[in-house]
Amino acid sequence: MLDDFHKGLEPSAAPQDGSNLRILIVHTRWNTAIVQGLVDGAQKTMIEQHNVKPENIVIESVPGAYELPFAAKKLLEVSQIRAAEGASDLIGNVNLLDGLNLNSPTTATAAPPTSAGAGKKGSRQAFDAVICIGVLIKGSTMHFEYICEAVSQGIMRVGLDSGVPVIFGVLTCLNEEQALSRAGLDKAGKGHNHGIDWGSGAVEMALLKNRTL
Ligand SMILES: Nc1c(NC[C@H](O)[C@H](O)[C@H](O)CO)[nH]c(=O)[nH]c1=O
Ligand SMILES: CC(=O)[C@@H](O)COP(=O)(O)O
């Protein structure tokens, strides 16, 4: 039986143009079937509803929810360093009087004509948002409570410290039935896949981050 709150669920945000965004999904390797359903929901929503390019969604995994904040922080930092390297290479080869806009995603992804980094694989565009996805299910000790608190605080801190939106995509459930329904995997088919909302939220917040005055 779904909790009553599900009935008043707000629909996901209206479609927005995510065609210039690069999104990181970090997910755990606990409760893998449920996590995979959430990842699929987020990925599908970003591609089909918000025009995010499939190649601009990077998916990484960590052992468990407790590792999500660290991975989000480090992978964000690496992407920002690579974007800066690309921009600095570009500066070396472009007359800035031509009005080069280093903030535009296309600029950051532009492969520099000649640079030491030219041979590196993958996009140079920094991530515009991160979605941390995990499933915590209460056991018989207080371990659950401590991890839930640490992970929620840690994920919020990465977003505030980095200036890049980090979506809290961690289900904190008292039993497996609650988790299945929140991934849209319940037998009755009455659940709602929260990954859908996390995908829309990531696009919305990334566009808000990139908004110029
Ligand atoms: N019980 C769950 C965990 N526990 C593992 C921790 O997240 C962490 O990986 C470990 O303590 C080592 O640092 N993780 C989940 O994602 N979900 C659980 O239900
Ligand atoms: C969320 C957890 O860490 C939990 O699944 C661990 O179970 P237990 O409290 O029985 O050790």
Side-chain angles (χ1 to χ4, degrees), residues 30 135-145 147-148:
W30 270 68
V135 174
L136 285 157
I137 298 177
K138 170 83 177 153
S140 53
T141 71
M142 289 289 289
H143 197 228
F144 171 81
E145 283 79 0
I147 294 185
C148 289

Side-chain angles (χ1 to χ4, degrees), residues 168-184:
F168 181 72
V170 180
L171 298 183
T172 53
C173 300
L174 299 178
N175 54 56
E176 190 178 32
E177 183 195 18
Q178 287 183 348
L180 287 166
S181 71
R182 287 156 181 76

